[in-house]
Amino acid sequence: MAGKSSPRKRARPRAYHHGDLKAALVEAAAEILQNEGLEGLTLRAVARRAGVSQAAPYRHFDDRRALVGAVAERGFRRLQDAMLQAMQAPGGGRAGLKQVAFTYIRFALDNPTEYRVMFGPEVAVTDDLPELRTAARSTLGFVAQAIAQLQKAGLVGPGDPNLIAVATWATLHGLAILILDRQTAGVAPQTDALVEEATRILMFGMAARPT
Amino acid sequence: MAGKSSPRKRARPRAYHHGDLKAALVEAAAEILQNEGLEGLTLRAVARRAGVSQAAPYRHFDDRRALVGAVAERGFRRLQDAMLQAMQAPGGGRAGLKQVAFTYIRFALDNPTEYRVMFGPEVAVTDDLPELRTAARSTLGFVAQAIAQLQKAGLVGPGDPNLIAVATWATLHGLAILILDRQTAGVAPQTDALVEEATRILMFGMAARPT
DNA sequence: ACCTGAACACCGTTCAAGT
DNA sequence: ACCTGAACACCGTTCAAGT
């Protein structure tokens, strides 16, 4: 918010010259995604929204993919924050997992395009996007931690918490996508019953000990 | 394969003038997706590969999205065929579900880009792609049918088979994406253990009767 | 160090015209 | 009925030049 007084004239028209154009570009991209959908997300449109020239983003991002990757990274971070808050709310154990599940689905419903981009084809291969990879891995680590906690509480049976975490995340993600894609429209008018059922299956399945 | 002899001259150079350019375009698009990835999938490249002018595809598809939608539709059909074959193989019941799960994951691994496009942002909203919507819904119906069978066999507890089917599909899809995105690389070197674990959780969870 | 202006190649899409 | 050739607007990316 606060910025140094600019050295010469023209204090207002362009607000992003104080040094954090990179963050402003990511923010602008996320807004475009939310407001206009994926087809509106062009580098040039992002630059226009941030009030800079079409070439300016190249000072901060190698190419278009890098910007999309940064948006995805932001998404994973926001998703993890939301889950963290849901875990801290009262009602641990089984109720806690259910709360996290609802939080996860709500995030996807509230940020449909951004969520789809996070798991979409463009930034799927993260070999050249190390920060995105780290953010995504961190989300998995977060889920694994939660599973380990449930195991300690005796609510989840023994087994590699990482494997169980992947299975859990997989169910949440799949549910989010199927709901977003309206695959469930004719089947589960309101999605709550669906999330309940999936959570139930998960909890019972995880409580059972491995063969 | 066999075609009518062309009315005049030039029998070979362009093979698609016999009337199924539409199918040829979809095929060409799927090949490009497989060989060059999503960024190679331009309408013009598809036209080039099919040996027609850049404007020709517009005779058969409204726009680029419609072509991508047709590829996705083809994908759902092929996926469903693969699952059907896996179900018909010996070993019904629990072993059958596991077989279907492995088949599902293998399809995703064998057709990574195509699979991601099927669930990606471009064709997510199917309001204007009725055939894609039908194909995707049909896949869900297929899973629901399999669940109903398992219920009859007493291997899955009572409950709306549609809801259980969504939860099942969600887990398979989530698993496929997480594996494709290498989210599981540091956690499950070979994916088999992962699929086993997820199937186990699903089966135990579904066997339990609802609260 | 960071940004602009202009340029290039390429793409989606349209349309008059061909057979 | 189906396809071509040429055109237009727009995009990703580069690069010399500005401050």
Side-chain angles (χ1 to χ4, degrees):
Chain A
M1 295 246 177
K4 314 164 190 174
S5 61
S6 57
R8 295 252 168 141
K9 20 183 164 177
R10 208 183 285 129
R12 297 288 169 63
R14 288 170 183 175
Y16 296 128
H17 279 337
H18 51 63
D20 210 0
L21 177 56
K22 182 165 183 171
L25 288 169
V26 174
E27 193 60 37
E31 286 169 22
I32 290 177
L33 224 42
Q34 183 82 288
N35 299 332
E36 305 173 37
L38 184 62
E39 74 277 11
L41 185 64
T42 69
L43 261 188
R44 287 163 106 112
V46 171
R48 276 192 295 266
R49 181 174 261 260
V52 292
S53 81
Q54 69 203 223
Y58 287 91
R59 284 294 120 198
H60 303 280
F61 298 99
D62 279 351
D63 53 21
R64 192 198 122 100
R65 258 192 87 238
L67 211 196
V68 176
V71 175
E73 188 191 331
R74 189 191 94 120
F76 278 112
R77 256 192 260 287
R78 292 206 303 144
L79 173 58
Q80 198 175 326
D81 283 355
M83 287 196 287
L84 185 65
Q85 284 194 15
M87 291 259 310
Q88 285 170 341
R94 258 173 210 175
L97 183 74
K98 206 201 267 186
Q99 251 171 353
V100 170
F102 275 99
T103 301
Y104 191 101
I105 301 300
R106 195 184 325 277
F107 177 87
L109 290 175
D110 287 345
N111 311 273
T113 314
E114 183 171 348
Y115 184 82
R116 276 196 258 252
V117 168
M118 286 163 59
F119 294 92
E122 300 169 78
V123 296
V125 178
T126 54
D127 296 335
D128 56 335
L129 300 171
E131 283 143 327
L132 170 57
R133 161 160 291 184
T134 300
R137 288 268 166 92
S138 162
T139 303
L140 177 59
F142 176 86
V143 179
Q145 236 180 303
I147 296 296
Q149 259 185 278
L150 288 171
Q151 282 181 320
K152 258 189 201 153
L155 293 168
V156 166
D160 182 345
N162 285 315
L163 286 190
I164 302 178
V166 171
T168 303
W169 190 10
T171 302
L172 292 181
H173 170 60
L175 216 50
I177 287 292
L178 294 183
I179 291 170
L180 283 180
D181 286 359
R182 300 239 176 85
Q183 298 289 353
T184 66
V187 154
Q190 74 283 54
T191 60
D192 284 19
L194 206 52
V195 180
E196 293 258 14
E197 176 72 12
T199 310
R200 199 187 62 73
I201 291 177
L202 262 182
M203 287 304 307
F204 275 100
M206 295 192 302
R209 48 185 48 183
T211 338
Chain B
M1 296 252 178
K4 313 166 190 171
S5 61
S6 56
R8 294 251 167 144
K9 20 184 163 176
R10 209 184 284 131
R12 297 288 167 67
R14 290 169 185 176
Y16 297 127
H17 278 336
H18 50 65
D20 209 1
L21 177 57
K22 182 165 183 173
L25 288 169
V26 174
E27 193 60 37
E31 286 169 21
I32 289 177
L33 224 43
Q34 183 81 292
N35 299 332
E36 304 173 39
L38 184 63
E39 75 276 11
L41 186 64
T42 69
L43 261 188
R44 287 164 107 111
V46 171
R48 277 192 294 266
R49 182 174 262 261
V52 292
S53 82
Q54 68 202 227
Y58 287 90
R59 285 293 118 199
H60 303 280
F61 298 98
D62 279 352
D63 53 19
R64 191 197 124 99
R65 257 192 88 240
L67 211 195
V68 176
V71 175
E73 188 191 332
R74 188 192 95 119
F76 278 110
R77 256 192 259 289
R78 293 205 302 144
L79 174 57
Q80 197 174 326
D81 283 354
M83 287 197 287
L84 186 65
Q85 284 194 15
M87 292 257 311
Q88 284 169 342
R94 261 178 204 166
L97 183 73
K98 205 200 269 188
Q99 251 172 353
V100 170
F102 274 100
T103 301
Y104 191 101
I105 302 299
R106 196 185 325 275
F107 177 87
L109 290 176
D110 287 345
N111 311 274
T113 314
E114 183 170 349
Y115 185 81
R116 276 196 259 251
V117 167
M118 286 163 59
F119 293 92
E122 301 168 78
V123 295
V125 178
T126 52
D127 296 334
D128 56 336
L129 299 171
E131 283 143 325
L132 171 56
R133 161 161 290 182
T134 302
R137 288 267 167 91
S138 163
T139 302
L140 177 59
F142 176 85
V143 178
Q145 236 181 302
I147 296 296
Q149 259 185 277
L150 287 170
Q151 282 180 320
K152 258 189 203 155
L155 293 169
V156 166
D160 182 344
N162 284 315
L163 286 189
I164 302 178
V166 172
T168 304
W169 190 11
T171 303
L172 292 181
H173 170 60
L175 217 49
I177 288 292
L178 294 183
I179 292 170
L180 283 180
D181 286 0
R182 300 241 177 85
Q183 299 288 353
T184 66
V187 154
Q190 74 284 54
T191 60
D192 284 18
L194 205 53
V195 180
E196 294 258 15
E197 177 72 11
T199 311
R200 198 187 62 74
I201 291 176
L202 263 182
M203 287 304 307
F204 275 99
M206 295 193 302
R209 46 185 49 181
T211 337

